Amino acid sequence: MCGIVGYAGGRPAVPILLRALKDLEYRGYDSAGIAVLDGDRLAITKKQGKIANLEAALGPAPAGTVGIGHTRWATHGRPSDRNAHPHSSCDGRVVVIHNGIVENYAALRDELQARGHTFHSETDTETVAHLLEAEMAAGADLFEALARTARRLEGSQALVAMSLDEPGTLVAARLGNAGGIVIGFGDGETVVASDLAAVLPLTQEVAFLADGQVARVTPAGAEAKTVTGEPVALQRKRIPIDPVTALKGQYPHFMLKEIHEQPEAIADTIWSLATLDPPALYFDDLGPAADRLADIERVVLIGMGTSLHAAMVGQRYIEAFAGIPADADNASEFRYRDPVLDDRTLVISVSQSGETVDVLEAMAVARQAGALQVTVCNTAGAQTTRVADGTVYTRAGLERGVASTKCFTTAVVALYLLALRIAQAKGRLSDRELALHLHDLAQLPRAVSEVLRQRDLVRKRAVSLAAAQHVLFLGRGLAFPVAMEGALKLKEVSYIHAEGYAAGEMKHGPIALIEPSFPTVAIATRHALRTKMISNIEQIQARGGPVTGVVTEGDAELTALCDAVLTVPAVSSWLEPVAAVIPLQLLAYDVAVHRGCDVDQPRNLAKTVTVE
């Protein structure tokens, strides 16, 4: 998500904050700002655009040795100097930086305004600064004020704040999974950040805040407690300086780290392309393609492997939202089948690396036919972005694990938003409908975070699947591509033969394989043609086949019917594929670990396929 950094020590804070923000630039952002305690004032500088704009605006740098810095994706309020972080209280004595969305900010703002507080931005973040001010006015110190404030905030948050009343002190909080909070301990200095990348240039000794914890940070170190006041013993660890281990942080494998980064990656992708308040879409990298979307009569989506599965979900979005025919095709087959294309066809290529040979060759075919092209890509400047007429960037960040996880979910989110943009161009999307879609998207990072909390349950189920030789994955509707992706992940990392099928196809062949030693994973969330899936599950169990169901929380009928269930929160029907794929990623990972496989570098596989 947004980049967060804070420094308390004996050296000038501004150069340290600026360097740390540059280390976090890979996340993407639309504005940046810093606040430094300079004598008896809080010196705040913030600018829309890149960090270079911030540096130019600073002039002679404030001389303070305690400060905070931030890079922001806009969620509430358009990108602007005024809406950039940090945000301050009415009296200017408290400043705060923030990742996440304060879901109840409107009610909090109304309450605070009724109590005489004046707001100067359009952001949800500013409510936190005013809440801190109110708690301190009631007698709390900054540490306790943050704990009390945290208890009032709905949604996932990462927060860092400081106050003129407590020079030399920063406070930080982590609520849910809106980005991590890591504290680095140096010699007479302490740094707090959203990512190890901003900490390791200063120190290798770190501690991570868990969900529901707040910390007080001073040059001498840090102390922590839960938001309800229980003391917490911070577990310090030393991160080896070699870059691979450093990048893994607290995780044993990149794949597990990247699975857990998905709430942030999804949020980054959403808010790089949209704002919630006001509801608006921003596709700045579409280039000349933007002006031609209204004339498109047909869409073809192409990809390979995981990207093809994302394209299959995107196909459904485009037909439903934009009301035009759409097809999803394997790029390696598309390039050889002499496809029918013209200048009213939009070809959307999906590629994590932007360098996959079959995708590039398919794009060459599309170009020769005169089709309009847009690429969905995670890598700035990649070849697909140079060939296409326009680009939609996902904001997954670097993905080291060969088996793609966060690039799948961010691609699905990007295709969702692109489908809305096409619908807008075709005059099929009202402002109210856009607002509803963006509201649904805003809930998604928290839903994914909730699924990730089921890790222990998934691990237990993985033990029973690890002995299988074959696993069948079934889904209907939007859950069919999820079944395909779940099977792909399992076979990639665990070397178990797995197949994803449209559940309606079960009687047309796969049912012959069902027996007690042949497990099935059924994606049966509430909108995934649930009643039809119940019938499929009953047919499997009548033949002695064990079934693991991926179901919506509270579904007692399916919980009783399946041998085991992995639950996901209730989300919009269109976004169920994102929620439902998370337990399948964890399942594949844990099965592979149980079998002793090389999770991050599976045999025979490469991250980017550059030869046919």
Side-chain angles (χ1 to χ4, degrees), residues 11-91:
R11 293 189 281 166
V14 169
I16 294 170
L17 296 173
L18 289 174
R19 182 179 67 181
L21 291 179
K22 290 175 182 177
D23 288 335
L24 298 174
E25 278 193 295
Y26 73 90
R27 293 169 172 259
Y29 59 100
D30 54 45
S31 59
I34 62 171
V36 174
L37 186 61
D38 187 15
D40 59 355
R41 70 185 184 107
L42 284 170
I44 301 173
T45 307
K46 47 188 187 175
K47 293 295 290 184
Q48 182 181 349
K50 297 303 181 184
I51 291 171
N53 296 352
L54 174 63
E55 289 180 296
L58 274 167
T65 61
V66 177
I68 57 178
H70 189 267
T71 52
R72 174 192 190 237
W73 279 124
T75 59
H76 295 73
R78 303 177 191 278
S80 67
D81 294 355
R82 180 165 59 107
N83 289 329
H85 297 210
H87 289 286
S88 57
S89 56
C90 287
D91 59 12

Side-chain angles (χ1 to χ4, degrees), residues 444 446-452 454 457-458 482 523-528 549-555 559 565-572 575-584 586:
L444 190 57
R446 181 165 65 161
V448 171
S449 297
E450 291 177 15
V451 180
L452 291 171
Q454 297 184 46
L457 181 63
V458 174
V482 176
I523 296 91
T525 45
R526 65 175 180 169
H527 296 295
V550 177
V551 307
T552 304
E553 286 176 353
D555 193 327
T559 298
V565 295
L566 306 173
T567 63
V568 300
V571 295
S572 156
L575 298 174
E576 279 187 346
V578 177
V581 81
I582 307 299
L584 303 185
L586 287 169

Side-chain angles (χ1 to χ4, degrees), residues 338-417:
D338 195 20
V340 178
L341 304 169
D342 58 27
D343 61 359
R344 294 196 175 246
T345 302
L346 170 63
V347 174
I348 301 174
S349 56
V350 185
S351 175
Q352 171 266 325
S353 68
E355 304 290 346
T356 301
V357 62
D358 289 296
V359 173
L360 290 168
E361 292 296 335
M363 293 178 73
V365 171
R367 171 162 291 223
Q368 190 171 16
L372 179 67
Q373 294 200 66
V374 170
T375 190
V376 176
C377 183
N378 191 51
T379 307
Q383 182 66 12
T384 60
T385 71
R386 299 196 295 272
V387 173
D389 299 290
T391 300
V392 180
Y393 283 111
T394 56
R395 302 292 176 175
L398 184 62
E399 191 176 66
R400 294 291 187 108
V402 169
S404 183
T405 52
K406 59 181 179 174
C407 283
F408 172 78
T409 51
T410 55
V412 170
V413 166
L415 288 166
Y416 186 100
L417 287 161

Side-chain angles (χ1 to χ4, degrees), residues 66-379:
V66 177
I68 57 178
H70 189 267
T71 52
R72 174 192 190 237
W73 279 124
T75 59
H76 295 73
R78 303 177 191 278
S80 67
D81 294 355
R82 180 165 59 107
N83 289 329
H85 297 210
H87 289 286
S88 57
S89 56
C90 287
D91 59 12
R93 302 188 70 80
V94 176
V95 288
V96 64
I97 52 179
H98 168 226
N99 288 351
I101 292 177
V102 180
E103 294 176 5
N104 58 332
Y105 89 98
L108 292 172
R109 183 184 57 195
D110 290 346
E111 172 196 323
L112 288 161
Q113 286 176 328
R115 292 161 58 184
H117 289 260
T118 301
F119 283 71
H120 299 284
S121 77
E122 302 168 295
T123 70
D124 57 332
T125 303
E126 192 180 349
T127 60
V128 179
H130 292 286
L131 287 170
L132 290 172
E133 178 186 19
E135 294 293 352
M136 294 181 75
D141 65 10
L142 186 60
F143 192 25
E144 177 58 24
L146 183 59
R148 293 180 188 177
T149 295
R151 295 198 293 268
R152 300 202 60 193
L153 304 179
E154 295 179 6
S156 294
Q157 328 288 338
L159 297 154
V160 177
M162 65 180 186
S163 170
L164 266 177
D165 297 320
E166 298 184 28
T169 298
L170 305 176
V171 292
R174 179 179 179 181
L175 311 173
N177 284 291
I181 290 289
V182 56
I183 302 169
F185 303 91
D187 184 9
E189 58 186 6
T190 310
V191 62
V192 58
S194 54
D195 195 301
L196 272 172
V199 173
L200 290 178
L202 293 174
T203 179
Q204 296 171 253
E205 188 174 358
V206 303
F208 297 89
L209 286 190
D211 178 13
Q213 293 180 352
V214 294
R216 188 202 318 262
V217 174
T218 69
E223 60 176 311
K225 63 181 179 181
T226 68
V227 294
T228 53
E230 293 81 14
V232 170
L234 289 172
Q235 301 298 313
R236 295 194 189 191
K237 63 186 297 185
R238 190 167 184 81
I239 302 294
I241 200 64
D242 71 275
V244 172
T245 304
L247 286 171
K248 285 181 186 174
Q250 59 187 318
Y251 297 97
H253 298 97
F254 281 116
M255 184 179 179
L256 185 61
K257 176 177 183 280
E258 287 154 10
I259 290 171
H260 279 81
E261 287 174 342
Q262 286 176 112
E264 297 173 71
I266 289 167
D268 282 350
T269 300
I270 295 168
W271 308 124
S272 69
L273 300 170
T275 55
L276 183 61
D277 185 9
L281 299 174
Y282 300 94
F283 281 80
D284 296 337
D285 295 302
L286 274 184
D291 296 330
R292 295 176 56 188
L293 294 179
D295 300 325
I296 292 303
E297 296 177 352
R298 175 172 169 250
V299 177
V300 178
L301 300 98
I302 55 173
M304 299 289 291
T306 288
S307 293
L308 175 58
H309 301 154
M312 292 167 67
V313 179
Q315 170 197 0
R316 297 286 298 271
Y317 291 159
I318 288 166
E319 289 192 334
F321 302 160
I324 53 179
D327 299 294
D329 204 349
N330 179 297
S332 65
E333 295 297 318
F334 175 88
R335 61 183 284 203
Y336 287 118
R337 68 174 176 83
D338 195 20
V340 178
L341 304 169
D342 58 27
D343 61 359
R344 294 196 175 246
T345 302
L346 170 63
V347 174
I348 301 174
S349 56
V350 185
S351 175
Q352 171 266 325
S353 68
E355 304 290 346
T356 301
V357 62
D358 289 296
V359 173
L360 290 168
E361 292 296 335
M363 293 178 73
V365 171
R367 171 162 291 223
Q368 190 171 16
L372 179 67
Q373 294 200 66
V374 170
T375 190
V376 176
C377 183
N378 191 51
T379 307

